[in-house]
Amino acid sequence: MKIKPVGPIPDGFSTIDGQLAIAGRTASDLVAAAGRTPLFVYSRDLIGRRVAALRDALPARIGINYAVKANPHAEVIKHIGPLVDGLDIASAGELAMIRAAGMDPARVSFAGPGKRDDELEAAIAAGVTLNCESEGEAHRTLTIGQKLGKTPRMAIRVNPDFELKGSGMKMGGGAKPFGLDAERVPALARELIANGVEWRGLHIFTGSQALSSDAIIEAQGNVLKLAGKLSDQIGAELPKLNLGGGFGIPYFPGDEPLDLAAVGAALGEYLEDLPGGLASSELCLELGRYLVGEAGVYLCRVIDRKVSHGVTYLVTDGGLHHQLAASGNFGTVVRRNYPVAIATRFEAQGDDVVNVVGCLCTPLDRLADAAAMPHADIGDLVAVFCAGAYGASASPVDFLGHGAAAEICI
Ligand SMILES: *Cc1c(COP(=O)(O)O)cnc(C)c1O
């Protein structure tokens, strides 16, 4: 069988007693503490280090928001909330989660198409900033604000006429369900301001999962130019501009980490020469996976080792019901291996070639294909890295009834 490489294991992990260690604790220890597999482990230390690296690289004026959908685990929100400048949510459900985690809704903005009236009501009542996705939604917001006797805080999400190149998930450029086409923004903004809303400016999100600093720098330049033009057309300075994010992490063989220093330096240069309408605007980025993705590991246990037509399968108790993206069934065309390792034999040589699969009764449930791994047997633990974002909350947990994974934040 031709060996297929696995993705790069992120920095920040170590080996203790031959095992993968996360924040100084072995995989076996962590599983014992949680009481079971499969298990997501999120490291507070790694999240904190990532935020610190961003603060180091970015100009002080650039705020950092956390996109809660990347990982809405309560302990993760509680840890990251105080480290960042704001939280971005995409539903009233996420609003309830961040409130349950003790976060102040005044630091929150809410983007997403299809906000229901009850969601708008909850957000207005809580003082959340609404990033408006259409004229219709804006008008519903005004009506609900009047009914509640409360002034809504409103920004407009712009559907820009460009996109983040090389982005894993394109969310700008051409017809989109997200945001208002750029040329219609000034009229709506003037209407909202005339209606006496608390005007919070613009939100321009151009894409996700980009590893090229050049592409991010280009998109940010375009965002600043567009925001400057729109603020001129609106005829008022922008109180705030959310520049979007899109910072990616390496998942697959050959992926290189984003050059954060280059992005920070380019932003510094842009700030020297901002369009007039942005002179005193609050500026922020909104990041999800870049903040938490590499800080999470998914651990599952080998339940069976079997051979079929000469191919060895390690069958685990995990799978795509917790880690849809690692199985290759979430936004990828060609299936490539995530970073996967045998956690309980982390230092051993990879002299076995195996398919690591999940326990679901579908051929889609693959965690690693033709991977060179140390010889593993029943009882060993498999680690899937880059599991801190879009894992537990973005996988079809009810499919086949195996139930949810445990999650711990250490
Ligand atoms: C999903 C999303 C994000 C976060 O994307 P990441 O790739 O996790 O950084 C940020 N902003 C908006 C509007 C989104 O939809």
Side-chain angles (χ1 to χ4, degrees):
M1 193 158 60
K2 192 173 174 311
I3 293 174
K4 291 191 186 149
V6 297
I9 293 176
D11 288 340
F13 299 99
S14 60
T15 309
I16 297 177
D17 298 336
Q19 288 198 32
L20 166 68
I22 306 166
R25 296 170 67 182
T26 64
S28 301
D29 253 11
L30 292 163
V31 168
R36 66 185 176 98
T37 52
L39 170 66
F40 283 94
V41 181
Y42 311 123
S43 161
R44 289 187 168 85
D45 175 52
L46 291 177
I47 293 171
R49 283 201 244 167
R50 181 51 60 92
V51 176
L54 277 159
R55 298 283 187 206
D56 243 26
L58 299 175
R61 182 168 165 192
I62 305 287
I64 300 169
N65 287 7
Y66 175 52
V68 170
K69 78 170 191 272
N71 188 332
H73 187 63
E75 296 302 317
V76 170
I77 295 173
K78 278 185 207 165
H79 178 64
I80 203 168
L83 302 179
V84 295
D85 303 295
L87 297 162
D88 294 323
I89 58 168
S91 69
E94 286 186 351
L95 174 57
M97 290 176 200
I98 66 109
R99 296 182 95 165
M103 300 297 137
D104 177 2
R107 299 173 63 216
V108 173
S109 54
F110 180 178
K115 298 182 192 75
R116 299 183 310 266
D117 284 356
D118 63 295
E119 293 186 300
L120 294 173
E121 192 167 325
I124 296 167
V128 166
T129 297
L130 285 155
N131 294 340
C132 252
E133 307 268 352
S134 74
E135 288 99 347
E137 184 182 292
H139 294 144
R140 283 193 290 131
T141 305
L142 293 177
T143 305
I144 293 168
Q146 264 164 11
K147 189 183 90 182
L148 295 178
K150 183 138 183 181
T151 305
R153 306 177 120 171
M154 296 176 76
I156 296 176
R157 178 166 178 183
V158 182
N159 174 25
D161 34 24
F162 51 85
E163 62 192 12
L164 175 54
K165 286 185 189 143
S167 153
M169 235 176 258
K170 294 189 178 18
M171 294 179 84
K176 288 285 179 305
F178 313 108
L180 195 64
D181 296 347
E183 61 276 10
R184 280 165 30 207
V185 168
L188 181 63
R190 285 194 297 264
E191 183 192 340
L192 293 179
I193 293 168
N195 267 279
V197 307
E198 187 179 335
W199 171 236
R200 297 300 296 143
L202 301 176
H203 171 213
I204 309 182
F205 184 74
T206 56
S208 210
Q209 180 50 22
L211 290 171
S212 155
S213 54
D214 288 346
I216 288 176
I217 291 165
E218 183 190 308
Q220 288 177 338
N222 287 333
V223 164
L224 291 167
K225 211 180 325 161
L226 175 60
K229 185 174 101 182
L230 291 173
S231 83
D232 286 347
Q233 291 170 351
I234 293 165
E237 278 194 18
L238 287 186
K240 178 159 182 173
L241 172 65
N242 178 334
L243 287 159
F247 295 15
I249 61 173
Y251 287 105
F252 301 114
D255 282 357
E256 295 285 341
L258 176 66
D259 184 348
L260 189 57
V263 173
L267 267 174
E269 283 177 29
Y270 287 143
L271 295 192
E272 304 276 299
D273 191 22
L274 281 179
L278 304 183
S280 53
S281 308
E282 233 182 276
L283 300 172
C284 73
L285 296 170
E286 53 176 359
L287 301 172
R289 81 184 75 230
Y290 194 76
L291 292 172
V292 295
E294 290 174 292
V297 180
Y298 176 64
L299 296 171
C300 52
R301 197 179 288 286
V302 178
I303 298 293
D304 199 3
R305 179 187 170 101
K306 57 187 280 190
V307 177
S308 167
H309 291 284
V311 175
T312 302
Y313 287 87
L314 297 180
V315 184
T316 69
D317 61 0
L320 70 76
H321 54 313
H322 306 142
Q323 260 300 323
L324 183 62
S327 76
N329 294 292
F330 189 22
T332 42
V333 181
V334 179
R335 192 195 174 287
R336 291 175 294 166
N337 287 331
Y338 254 47
V340 174
I342 307 297
T344 34
R345 300 169 196 267
F346 198 49
E347 263 179 343
Q349 290 293 321
D351 42 19
D352 208 2
V353 181
V354 294
N355 286 351
V356 183
V357 300
C359 57
L360 303 192
C361 202
T362 158
L364 301 177
D365 197 10
R366 292 139 70 184
L367 294 175
D369 286 345
M373 297 273 166
H375 184 97
D377 220 321
I378 294 168
D380 274 308
L381 294 172
V382 169
V384 180
F385 295 88
C386 297
Y390 307 110
S393 69
S395 301
V397 67
D398 290 334
F399 185 40
L400 282 160
H402 289 279
E407 294 176 270
I408 55 171
C409 189
I410 58 167

